[in-house]
Amino acid sequence: MAEPQTHQTPQPLLQARDLCVEFPLPRRRTLKAVNGVSFDVYPGETFGVIGESGSGKTTLGRALVSLIRPTSGQLLQDGVDPGTLSRAAMREHRRDFQIMFQDPNAALNPRVRIVDSVMEPLEVAGHRDARANREAALQAMARVGLPAAFADRYPHQLSGGQKQRVIIARALTLKPRLIVCDEVVAALDVSIRGEVLNLFADLQREFGLTYVFITHDLSVVSHISDRIAVMYLGCLMELGPAEALAERPLHPYTQALLSAEPVALPRSMRHERPIELRGEIPSPVDPPSGCPFRTRCPQATDTCAASRPAWQERRPGHWVACHHAQA
Ligand SMILES: Nc1ncnc2c1ncn2[C@@H]1O[C@H](COP(=O)(O)OP(=O)(O)O)[C@@H](O)[C@H]1O
Ligand SMILES: [Mg+2]
C-alpha cells in the first residue's frame, strides 16, 4: 500500500494501513466490517468519514480508539501501535483518543447526576481525588455552555442539545488529543445542530483537537471537514480535500452520493437528475468480487468484477479506488 506523499506535515496522529476488522459469525463465516483501509489523520484537522448505514463507519471509529482490535493490518496512534502497550501504558495512552456516540440518551445513565457522569472518565482513569474531579467536571461543563446549576440535575431534565453538551464535556475532562465523533448531531433537531457544530469548531481551536467526524449526512460533514473519506462496504472509495471531493468527485459512488444530496453542493455542481443507484448494499458477509461497489455502479465493467481497484493518489492528496476514475 502506497504512503501518502503530498503532506509535508508533522507525524500523523493516526495511521491506518490496510486495516481490517472482522466479526466471526456462526458456521465459520466472517463479516468484514472494515476491509483494508489506509489513511492518515493529521494533528488539528477534521477528518470526515461518510457512508451509508452499515458501511463500517462505527466499527472503524471504535478501532481507531482501540475499543476493538484490528483483525489485520496496522494502526498507529501518534506513532505507537496500541497492541504493543502494557495495560498500564495503555490506560495512559488511550486518554488521548476518545470517542463520542450519537445518542446522548444511551450514553447517559438516567439515574446519575450530570456532574457525576462528566467526572466518571476521570475516575475510570484512576484519579481518586473526588473534589478535584468535580472541579474539573464543572470546568468542562462551563466550557461547553452548561452552568454549574446543571451539575446536580438528571439527564431527563435536559434538552437533547444540553445532553449532547454533557457528552462533549465528559470527553473533554480527559484532555484528549483526538475525538472520534460518531453521528454526534444525528439525534439533534436541525435547529440546534449548527450550534453544536460551532461548539465543536470552537473547542478544536481552543484545545488544538483533532476530529474524526463520522456521519451519513453529507451536509454535516462537508461543512466542517478539512478532508473527507468515503466508505462503502467496509472499504474506502475516495479520500480528498473536502472542497475538491465535493466539487470534482472521482469515484462514481461519491458522485452518486453527492447527486442525491444537492444541498451539500455549490449550485454550479448540482445535477439535473440524481444518479440512481441500483439495488441494495450487498452483505459484508458475502461481498462482491473485485470492486465492492461494482454491483451498483453505472460504470462497472468486467475488470471491476475481476480485481479490486488499487488505492491510488490520482491528484495531489486525493485518493481513489476505481478502475475507471478519471483524474
Ligand atoms: N459486534 C458486531 N458483531 C457482528 N457484526 C457487527 C458488529 N458490529 C457491527 N457489525 C456489522 O458490521 C457492519 C458495519 O457496521 P457499522 O460499523 O455499525 O456500520 P455503520 O456505522 O456505517 O452503520 C454491519 O454489517 C454490522 O451489522
Ligand atoms: Mg454507525
Side-chain angles (χ1 to χ4, degrees), residues 211-259:
Y211 296 133
V212 174
F213 215 95
I214 294 174
T215 172
H216 66 280
D217 187 340
L218 206 58
S219 62
V220 168
V221 85
S222 63
H223 282 119
I224 63 154
S225 302
D226 299 300
R227 295 190 299 145
I228 297 177
V230 180
M231 210 169 171
Y232 183 82
L233 213 60
C235 302
L236 284 192
M237 302 282 103
E238 182 164 2
L239 161 63
E243 225 177 86
L245 189 129
E247 290 182 6
R248 291 201 301 153
L250 290 171
H251 200 288
Y253 178 58
T254 315
Q255 290 162 3
L257 278 183
L258 289 164
S259 79

Side-chain angles (χ1 to χ4, degrees), residues 29-258:
R29 287 156 70 84
T30 53
L31 186 151
K32 295 183 176 171
V34 177
N35 189 0
V37 302
S38 299
F39 60 89
D40 293 336
V41 177
Y42 294 93
E45 77 168 327
T46 297
F47 184 90
V49 179
I50 56 168
E52 292 165 90
S53 172
S55 57
K57 305 181 299 297
T58 295
T59 305
L60 174 63
R62 295 177 65 207
L64 293 179
V65 299
S66 314
L67 282 180
I68 355 174
R69 240 172 219 272
T71 315
S72 63
Q74 194 183 40
L75 172 70
L76 298 181
Q77 296 167 330
D78 199 19
V80 174
D81 176 351
T84 64
L85 295 177
S86 69
R87 278 181 82 141
M90 187 64 195
R91 211 160 79 161
E92 260 318 292
H93 174 81
R94 77 177 329 149
R95 304 168 47 141
D96 284 345
F97 301 88
Q98 296 290 315
I99 189 166
M100 230 183 271
F101 293 104
Q102 162 175 1
D103 186 356
N105 291 316
L108 291 176
N109 184 332
R111 285 182 294 275
V112 174
R113 292 175 201 274
I114 297 305
V115 69
D116 293 325
S117 279
V118 174
M119 61 195 252
E120 189 189 1
L122 289 169
E123 290 164 350
V124 172
H127 294 249
R128 306 251 174 269
D129 183 343
R131 271 182 61 182
N133 289 351
R134 188 180 163 97
E135 195 46 47
L138 290 172
Q139 263 180 30
M141 287 173 56
R143 185 55 201 87
V144 301
L146 292 172
F150 283 90
D152 293 315
R153 294 189 192 165
Y154 290 92
H156 73 89
Q157 297 171 296
L158 272 59
S159 72
Q162 289 165 341
K163 278 186 269 196
Q164 193 55 278
R165 286 169 195 268
V166 173
I167 305 296
I168 298 170
R170 182 156 76 174
L172 288 178
T173 53
L174 290 172
K175 303 201 177 347
R177 299 170 64 194
L178 178 140
I179 306 178
V180 174
C181 305
D182 187 0
E183 306 275 12
V184 285
V185 294
L188 300 179
D189 281 352
V190 175
S191 57
I192 55 170
R193 264 185 206 178
E195 247 173 64
V196 173
L197 289 174
N198 286 341
L199 174 60
F200 275 104
D202 290 347
L203 296 171
Q204 180 167 51
R205 274 192 296 273
E206 186 172 339
F207 299 110
L209 287 168
T210 306
Y211 296 133
V212 174
F213 215 95
I214 294 174
T215 172
H216 66 280
D217 187 340
L218 206 58
S219 62
V220 168
V221 85
S222 63
H223 282 119
I224 63 154
S225 302
D226 299 300
R227 295 190 299 145
I228 297 177
V230 180
M231 210 169 171
Y232 183 82
L233 213 60
C235 302
L236 284 192
M237 302 282 103
E238 182 164 2
L239 161 63
E243 225 177 86
L245 189 129
E247 290 182 6
R248 291 201 301 153
L250 290 171
H251 200 288
Y253 178 58
T254 315
Q255 290 162 3
L257 278 183
L258 289 164

Side-chain angles (χ1 to χ4, degrees), residues 258-291:
L258 289 164
S259 79
E261 217 170 330
V263 287
L265 290 176
R267 199 171 301 272
S268 61
M269 285 297 302
R270 293 182 192 172
H271 298 255
E272 294 282 300
R273 272 174 300 120
I275 302 168
E276 293 263 341
L277 288 185
R278 293 173 278 152
E280 298 291 306
I281 305 186
S283 160
V285 180
D286 189 18
S289 65
C291 173

